[in-house]
Amino acid sequence: MTFQTPFGGGPGPRARAFVARDAEVISPSYTRSYPFVMDHGEGYLVWDVDGNRYLDFAAGIAVCATGHSHPAVVSAIKEQADKFLHMSGTDFYYPQQIALAERLAEITPGAGPKRAFFTNSGTESVEAAMKLARYATGRPRIVAFTGAFHGRTLGSLSLTASKVVHRRGFGPLLPGVHHVPYGYCYRCPYNLVYPDCDIACVAAIEQSLFTREVPPDEVAALFVEPIQGEGGYVVPPDGWLQRLRELCDRHGILLVADEVQSGMGRTGKWFAVDHWGVVPDIVCLAKGIASGLPLGAIVAPQQLMDWPPGAHASTFGGNPIACEAALATIDLLDNGLIDNAAALGEAMMQQLREMARRYPIIGDVRGRGLMIGVELIEGAETRKPAHDLRDRTVEACYERGLLVLGAGFNVLRFTPPLVVDRAGVDKALQIFEEAVQFVSGA
Ligand code: PLP
């Protein structure tokens, strides 16, 4: 594809008018970085209400896996909408939900029979996993990571520790939740260097937390994002997840992989844990699973997901239209999109790493597949996190026709739909480079 007409140009008068109306009636707690007001989309391109065109390298927020309104997903939705819209999965049976559970059992890590519980969002998936972990182990405590984002309802918020604004004013949160440092080698919390450190951050959980503070036999689960998302797109070092698995096994703790952001093919494999061959006990899903329809799920071995009728349920969870959208999404992922994510993600990271050599404000480029983070810094010597510079870069990208979002304090993330092609990547990186030049005065 070649792009004849320019990108960007907003906000125009219609977008400005919507933004003004929004300010009157919509909760100000949402975090909009720039005034993009969506009109329609196709693949990885989107148009605002004034007719301006943008490259969407946000995909909503890492959601629109198959691009905007993929014809196969839309027709699955339409066909199901003609049949029925709802029939409480809590109280009745319908084939769509069963078929999706069977498909999820196939693609999630680990052999053996599994079961799924369906939700409407990531936070509900995490809530379900917390409840299941407590129920199955009879233990009350949970361990999570500094920088984690697991959602905003009170249970999942108790695990979230990426930004204080998420928590301020909402306490007290759930007791018995403990946070430990993530495997974040670019800013090692122990000031060590991988691999010489021998992954001391995992050993420290046992040597410190489990020795001085928390009896490990009271811990139900350890929740981990296999690649940390909202905390700053942090990829842990090789061996880190395996060590967590071993730690959990030693103490009878369930390993819960929150793959809400990193799952469903985004990283170039079905799930981020697959990069390290680790099999979690419970997998949490949402975001990309249904290409934008609200759906989430947890998947666990049959013998683990063995709670009695009434123990957990959801009126809307596993909506039949969302299930059909998910089945269509999974077929598309299976038939080329995951491979595309792996190949283009690798190419994109290579180009970004070359850029990092030219622009000292790019401190680190990391990711897997099309889950890519660029950490912006003030300079190579200090590596001081450049928060404002990151925000200005995000805005400068918008002004030039590229939609991207921040993650963490000073990271800019690229999460395009997995249907993106080489031309789209090249154009996006050209715009990103122009934005970097602009903000750094290069
Ligand atoms: N878990 C992870 C890893 C996430 O990235 C998110 C959202 O960003 C959530 C959970 C919460 O998902 P939702 O916003 O659908 O509740």
Side-chain angles (χ1 to χ4, degrees):
M1 193 195 287
T2 51
F3 300 113
Q4 311 291 355
T5 49
F7 286 93
R14 286 168 60 83
R16 283 184 209 282
F18 277 116
V19 170
R21 281 169 60 191
D22 179 288
E24 294 301 316
V25 292
I26 302 282
S27 163
S29 60
Y30 298 115
T31 49
R32 280 74 167 266
S33 308
Y34 41 79
F36 177 79
V37 182
M38 178 87 167
D39 181 71
H40 68 281
E42 192 186 322
Y44 60 87
L45 300 177
V46 288
W47 283 260
D48 76 3
V49 287
D50 296 287
N52 298 305
R53 187 178 60 159
Y54 292 80
L55 291 148
D56 179 10
F57 273 53
I61 178 159
V63 168
C64 307
T66 57
H68 292 280
S69 299
H70 192 290
V73 177
V74 171
S75 89
I77 291 170
K78 283 182 175 165
E79 269 175 43
Q80 180 54 40
D82 278 337
K83 289 186 194 156
F84 66 95
L85 303 180
H86 171 82
M87 194 59 195
S88 175
T90 298
D91 301 283
F92 299 97
Y93 302 90
Y94 45 88
Q96 296 78 0
Q97 221 183 43
I98 300 162
L100 180 56
E102 286 168 351
R103 200 77 178 87
L104 290 177
E106 283 165 19
I107 63 172
T108 46
K114 295 175 203 156
R115 289 190 173 120
F117 175 89
F118 289 108
T119 73
N120 306 283
S121 63
T123 196
E124 286 173 75
S125 296
V126 170
E127 296 287 339
M130 291 172 83
K131 284 178 71 176
L132 181 61
R134 277 184 163 183
Y135 184 86
T137 60
R139 300 176 177 187
R141 296 178 191 268
I142 294 177
V143 174
F145 289 92
T146 311
F149 188 90
H150 294 291
R152 297 169 184 275
T153 49
L154 284 171
S156 67
L157 180 61
S158 309
L159 308 187
T160 289
S162 60
K163 286 190 188 133
V164 103
V165 67
H166 298 147
R167 295 176 145 239
R168 180 175 286 124
F170 300 126
L173 299 177
L174 215 59
V177 173
H178 311 274
H179 287 96
V180 292
Y182 195 83
Y184 184 8
C185 296
Y186 186 69
R187 298 186 187 281
C188 175
Y190 297 99
N191 264 325
L192 299 171
V193 178
Y194 177 84
D196 294 346
C197 63
D198 196 26
I199 316 187
C201 49
V202 174
I205 300 174
E206 212 153 32
Q207 287 157 8
S208 179
L209 187 76
F210 288 171
T211 307
R212 299 176 193 281
E213 203 184 327
V214 171
D217 55 1
E218 291 182 9
V219 177
L222 187 146
F223 275 68
V224 63
E225 294 162 271
I227 294 177
Q228 204 172 62
E230 300 305 308
Y233 272 43
V234 182
V235 182
D238 289 345
W240 187 79
L241 273 170
Q242 290 93 323
R243 292 279 176 93
L244 289 182
R245 179 70 273 181
E246 288 159 18
L247 175 80
C248 287
D249 288 343
R250 269 199 299 284
H251 297 287
I253 296 169
L254 298 177
L255 181 66
V256 181
D258 182 345
E259 294 259 12
V260 165
Q261 188 150 180
S262 58
M264 303 310 296
R266 172 147 297 283
T267 67
K269 292 191 186 284
W270 277 115
F271 300 96
V273 286
D274 295 335
H275 288 279
W276 295 282
V278 165
V279 179
D281 297 294
I282 304 176
V283 180
C284 302
L285 305 174
K287 285 204 187 282
I289 188 171
S291 291
L293 264 69
L295 183 72
I298 60 168
V299 182
Q302 240 179 43
Q303 76 274 12
L304 177 59
M305 197 181 288
D306 186 24
W307 38 9
H312 199 48
S314 161
T315 295
F316 287 126
N319 169 276
I321 298 178
C323 286
E324 285 295 352
L327 285 164
T329 300
I330 290 171
D331 281 347
L332 290 164
L333 295 174
D334 215 3
N335 289 304
L337 293 190
I338 298 185
D339 294 341
N340 191 51
L344 282 187
E346 198 44 53
M348 218 176 141
M349 266 187 296
Q350 250 177 42
Q351 277 178 258
L352 284 165
R353 288 199 175 110
E354 279 161 29
M355 233 184 262
R357 281 187 222 114
R358 297 198 294 277
Y359 302 100
I361 64 162
I362 302 180
D364 196 23
V365 174
R366 55 196 180 226
R368 289 282 189 282
L370 290 171
M371 182 172 186
I372 301 174
V374 174
E375 178 153 350
L376 298 184
I377 54 171
E378 287 185 4
E381 275 101 71
T382 62
R383 287 190 179 182
K384 205 163 164 228
H387 173 73
D388 294 346
L389 205 102
R390 188 278 310 273
D391 286 355
R392 279 190 275 129
T393 310
V394 168
E395 280 163 37
C397 286
Y398 163 71
E399 282 157 13
R400 288 158 180 75
L402 171 66
L403 305 186
V404 286
L405 292 171
F409 189 70
N410 61 320
V411 173
L412 184 148
R413 74 179 106 175
F414 293 96
T415 55
L418 311 189
V419 292
V420 73
D421 55 20
R422 192 68 221 209
V425 164
D426 288 346
K427 186 71 195 170
L429 290 182
Q430 181 202 323
I431 294 176
F432 173 66
E433 183 161 5
E434 284 165 19
V436 167
Q437 282 169 356
F438 175 74
V439 299
S440 60

